[in-house]
Amino acid sequence: MVRRILLASDGSASAKGAEALAEWLGYELEAQLVGLFVRDSRWIRLPEFLDLGALSLPLPAYHQEIEQALTVKGEGILGRLEDAARMAGVNFARQLETGVPAEVIVQEARTADLVVLGRQGENHPEGQVLGSTAERVVRASPVPVLLAPPAYTRPERLLIGYNGSEPAVRALHFAAPLAVGLGLGVRVLSVDDTPSRAEDLAREGAEYLAAYGLKAEPVALQGDPAERLLELQGAADLLALGAFGGGPVRRWLLGSTTEYVLRSSPAAVLVVR
């Protein structure tokens, strides 16, 4: 059961979808929403790596000025999130920390049930869909991570990718009470080149969900798992899957099925390790 949600935001346009999604989850699940802003220590230390020429201002003064600016920015973002949460009736707590964002998020995730963040950050390189912070958090977080696109769409259905692996089983078990709490329709997608195995896996997942009172639709397909997941996922579908699957060829060429989906999905993706 999700009782504490960690929302990591840098206040950028790319984070708006994650902010709205986390607030909705907090309201629907009656969970505490913890807003986290990380003052990036790499920015604070940036003057150490710059040629300042004839400038004589001591480095500690630069550090203090940058840290103060980041503090003002963080307080403003957290204040905005807190005001919105209170208006929505969501219990909100704020956290302002200093460090490398991905490392701090992973550390704070230890006391959360779910991490929510945008796929991209403020300083995200143009042309990349998945930011380095988001990728590092997904790989290292001790709890499930929900990555949201910049534009918010309220989820209406839950699509679970299920192949019978241990990560997929954990994703199935985490997604079941989530679907109940959010009132989402559910589909279980299993992809295997052997049609009978795909059908058995999809049916297995649906039977598990039935114990939660969920009438899940089993879907069995053949082909590439990542491509089938993306073909089936709509804009209002929350996709849940285990990390990190896929064969050696896909990992070499494109990364795992999980990574490919994260970089290509048009909607929110829940990753369970």
Side-chain angles (χ1 to χ4, degrees), residues 2 6 109 112-117 137-138 141-147 170-171 174 270-273:
V2 176
L6 179 66
D113 299 305
L114 176 67
V115 175
V116 181
L117 71 159
V137 170
V138 167
S141 174
V143 300
V145 178
L146 179 54
L147 294 183
R170 289 192 289 270
F174 183 86
L270 172 68
V271 182
V272 182
R273 294 176 65 245

Side-chain angles (χ1 to χ4, degrees), residues 10-244:
D10 60 5
S12 65
S14 298
K16 299 301 182 185
E19 293 174 359
L21 181 57
E23 182 183 293
W24 177 73
L25 289 170
Y27 177 80
E28 293 292 335
L29 300 174
E30 298 183 352
Q32 182 185 43
L33 179 60
V34 180
L36 171 65
F37 179 86
V38 182
R39 291 171 293 205
D40 196 330
S41 58
R42 296 168 298 185
W43 282 106
I44 297 173
R45 296 187 58 208
L46 184 62
E48 299 177 18
F49 307 101
L50 297 178
D51 181 5
L52 301 177
L55 294 179
S56 59
L57 191 64
L59 282 178
Y62 282 108
H63 293 167
Q64 185 176 6
E65 184 175 344
I66 294 173
E67 185 170 6
Q68 184 177 9
L70 290 174
T71 298
V72 171
K73 177 182 178 180
E75 291 287 2
I77 293 169
L78 294 175
R80 172 176 58 80
L81 294 175
E82 184 172 17
D83 290 343
R86 285 181 174 176
M87 289 184 63
V90 176
N91 179 12
F92 186 89
R94 61 167 69 188
Q95 282 189 249
L96 184 63
E97 305 291 345
T98 301
V100 178
E103 295 175 0
V104 175
I105 294 169
V106 169
Q107 178 176 332
E108 296 302 325
R110 294 184 300 189
T111 56
D113 299 305
L114 176 67
V115 175
V116 181
L117 71 159
R119 288 203 196 108
Q120 306 167 1
E122 186 175 31
N123 302 300
H124 184 72
E126 186 176 354
Q128 291 185 14
V129 177
L130 184 64
S132 60
T133 295
E135 185 171 2
R136 290 177 65 188
V137 170
V138 167
R139 288 185 175 277
S141 174
V143 300
V145 178
L146 179 54
L147 294 183
Y152 170 66
T153 299
R154 177 174 173 172
E156 298 176 359
R157 294 172 300 274
L158 179 63
L159 173 61
I160 303 174
Y162 185 70
N163 63 3
S165 66
E166 290 186 10
V169 169
R170 289 192 289 270
L172 179 70
H173 289 191
F174 183 86
L178 188 65
V180 173
L182 297 175
L184 302 178
V186 185
R187 287 186 292 181
V188 179
L189 171 62
S190 296
V191 181
D192 196 279
D193 289 336
T194 303
S196 60
R197 173 165 170 76
E199 293 170 1
D200 288 344
L201 286 169
R203 186 166 50 250
E204 176 180 293
E207 289 175 353
Y208 173 81
L209 295 170
Y212 285 83
L214 296 167
K215 295 182 178 179
E217 174 191 358
V219 181
L221 297 175
Q222 287 73 55
D224 183 275
E227 292 176 359
R228 295 297 174 266
L229 283 166
L230 293 172
E231 288 170 359
L232 203 60
Q233 183 187 24
D237 284 328
L238 172 58
L239 173 59
L241 70 166
F244 285 85

